């Protein structure tokens, strides 16, 4: 009923940048946070970044802090992930997520109810 659709993934050389977008459609819902996770082959899905409703609070995994920037445009129901200084370790399928309710544990994947289909990010060396 609620759909999240990622876009913007692709192939980039180490040191390059990509900007991911995730647009929400379908049933209207209100949540305080939207997040990005990623999953590389053979690895567990891991938290990347999160942003609260107002956009004033942001959370980042240590591995991406200082390189990635999460933002949102509530009028467009869209969240973005600007990825700079990419390295091969960033190669993964990136997913955007949203919970049904507030008060979640932000960095835990099981907190989220809605997931996009994922977009592949590949960083070559």
């Amino acid at each position: 009923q609620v759909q999240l659709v990622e876009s913007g993934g692709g192939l980039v050389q180490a040191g390059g940048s990509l900007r991911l977008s995730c647009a929400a459609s379908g049933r209207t819902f209100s949540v305080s946070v939207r997040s990005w996770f990623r999953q590389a082959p053979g690895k567990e899905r891991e938290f990347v970044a999160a942003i609260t409703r107002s956009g004033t609070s942001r959370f980042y995994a240590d591995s991406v802090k200082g390189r990635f920037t999460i933002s949102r445009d509530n009028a467009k129901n869209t969240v973005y992930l600007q990825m700079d200084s990419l390295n091969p370790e960033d190669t993964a399928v990136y997913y955007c997520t949203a919970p049904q309710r507030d008060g979640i544990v932000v960095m835990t994947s099981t907190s989220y109810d809605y997931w996009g289909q994922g977009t592949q990010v590949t960083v070559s060396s």
Side-chain angles (χ1 to χ4, degrees):
Q1 196 169 1
V2 174
Q3 295 182 344
L4 304 175
V5 180
E6 302 98 335
S7 62
L11 175 65
V12 65
Q13 290 184 312
S17 298
L18 285 173
R19 182 177 176 85
L20 306 183
S21 299
C22 178
S25 63
R27 180 173 60 85
T28 300
F29 64 96
S30 179
V31 294
S32 65
V33 63
R34 293 182 65 178
S35 302
W36 290 91
F37 284 73
R38 67 186 182 186
Q39 188 167 26
K43 299 179 67 177
E44 292 185 348
R45 189 168 297 185
E46 66 174 344
F47 172 80
V48 177
I51 185 168
T52 55
R53 179 72 175 179
S54 67
T56 57
S57 295
R58 297 172 174 85
F59 306 88
Y60 297 98
D62 289 341
S63 59
V64 306
K65 191 175 299 182
R67 300 187 298 118
F68 290 11
T69 304
I70 189 170
S71 61
R72 65 191 295 171
D73 185 336
N74 290 335
K76 297 180 179 179
N77 294 321
T78 300
V79 63
Y80 306 93
L81 186 67
Q82 177 67 43
M83 304 184 294
D84 299 320
S85 301
L86 286 162
N87 59 63
E89 288 67 46
D90 296 315
T91 295
V93 177
Y94 284 70
Y95 299 90
C96 69
T97 66
Q100 288 183 334
R101 64 185 73 249
D102 296 344
I104 64 165
V105 180
V106 172
M107 299 183 183
T108 302
S109 63
T110 54
S111 297
Y112 298 89
D113 303 283
Y114 307 109
W115 293 81
Q117 83 289 347
T119 185
Q120 177 71 49
V121 172
T122 303
V123 185
S124 64
S125 59

